[in-house]
Amino acid sequence: MDPDAMTSPPSKKTVWRKAVDGAAIGLALLFAYVLVLFGVFTALNIVSPLLAEDPAVVFFLTVVCAIVVVGPPVGGPALVGRLRTLPDDSLKTEHTDNALVPMIRNLRIRSRLFKLGATAAFVLVAAATLLGFTVAQGQSANGTTTGTGVTSLVLLLFLLQTLASIYRHNMRMAAFYDSKADYLQAGGKTKGLDDRNLLNLFSTAQIDPNWSEKLKEAFEPRDQKPRK
């Protein structure tokens, strides 16, 4: 058998096949949009039924859900490409060992990913804060405070504290990876280090995990918490 026949390039997609693929992607995004919109309005009906009946709030959430669903598939590839595109001055200097450049690139990309996670957490904090003010304003306009409203505000405060902890942790991790990349870029040595020192150089054990431990303790029953 001719080897060239086994490695022949795949045939190009026809216009009909492209249309079918586009329709399938569109239907999948529409289904995801309906699910997200249904979940958001269900949660809003639980937190504040009056807000769920406000046309301005309905329009705002409809637009936000559309951006949330359509944004990642459209902007995801461009964002990944942007994260992996690094300037040369952030990878090496005249003192940098060329063999360490791929490792420095990996550390820089990890730092960017954690910064992106911190940005997302910050946006969620801002959105949750605005939602909390909106719920409180709706309750004050009615002149009554129900048990459901108080519970929703308490849950929002807990969400804000959790997101703030995640934001601080992501920024701490980003600074950690940037510091390691700066060390290698400045000509830091890895040769001659024993296995233990080499692992300590890249280990994340020194990152404070208190935020995750506190979050775990918050969900534990009181009788199971260790007494100090």
Side-chain angles (χ1 to χ4, degrees):
M1 182 180 292
D2 188 2
D4 295 335
M6 299 177 61
T7 59
S8 59
S11 59
K12 295 183 178 180
K13 292 184 178 181
T14 62
V15 178
W16 171 251
R17 181 61 182 275
K18 291 181 180 180
V20 172
D21 291 343
I25 295 175
L27 290 175
L29 291 177
L30 180 61
F31 180 72
Y33 173 70
V34 172
L35 288 180
V36 172
L37 195 64
F38 177 78
V40 168
F41 277 102
T42 301
L44 188 61
N45 276 316
I46 296 174
V47 174
S48 180
L50 294 177
L51 290 178
E53 299 175 359
D54 189 347
V57 175
V58 172
F59 176 76
F60 175 76
L61 291 179
T62 302
V63 174
V64 170
C65 289
I67 295 175
V68 169
V69 173
V70 179
V74 175
L79 180 61
V80 172
R82 182 69 181 86
L83 288 174
R84 298 184 64 86
T85 303
L86 298 171
D88 291 337
D89 57 359
S90 66
L91 298 177
K92 61 181 179 179
T93 62
E94 59 181 3
H95 305 290
T96 306
D97 186 356
N98 290 329
L100 297 177
V101 172
M103 188 179 301
I104 298 174
R105 178 186 296 275
N106 188 286
L107 293 173
R108 296 293 188 193
I109 292 175
R110 292 185 184 184
S111 174
R112 285 190 171 192
L113 288 174
F114 277 104
K115 290 178 181 177
L116 180 63
T119 303
F122 179 79
V123 172
L124 290 176
V125 167
T129 303
L130 293 176
L131 180 60
F133 280 123
T134 304
V135 173
Q137 184 178 3
Q139 293 175 0
S140 61
N142 296 332
T144 59
T145 302
T146 61
T148 304
V150 174
T151 303
S152 62
L153 290 177
V154 172
L155 290 176
L156 281 175
L157 291 176
F158 177 75
L159 176 63
L160 287 174
Q161 183 180 3
T162 303
L163 290 175
S165 299
I166 294 175
Y167 170 81
R168 291 193 296 268
H169 177 73
N170 283 346
M171 290 302 296
R172 195 178 296 117
M173 290 295 296
F176 169 81
Y177 284 118
D178 272 334
S179 65
K180 303 304 179 184
D182 291 338
Y183 168 77
L184 296 177
Q185 184 180 355
K189 297 181 180 179
T190 56
K191 297 179 180 179
L193 297 178
D194 56 18
D195 295 340
R196 187 169 187 175
N197 291 329
L198 190 60
L199 287 175
N200 289 333
L201 178 62
F202 299 101
S203 174
T204 58
Q206 55 187 294
I207 301 297
D208 184 15
N210 287 338
W211 71 273
S212 58
E213 296 296 332
K214 292 179 180 178
L215 182 62
K216 180 180 177 182
E217 291 179 0
F219 288 97
E220 290 181 353
R222 294 183 178 273
D223 55 351
Q224 294 184 4
K225 290 183 179 181
R227 296 181 179 179
K228 296 182 179 181

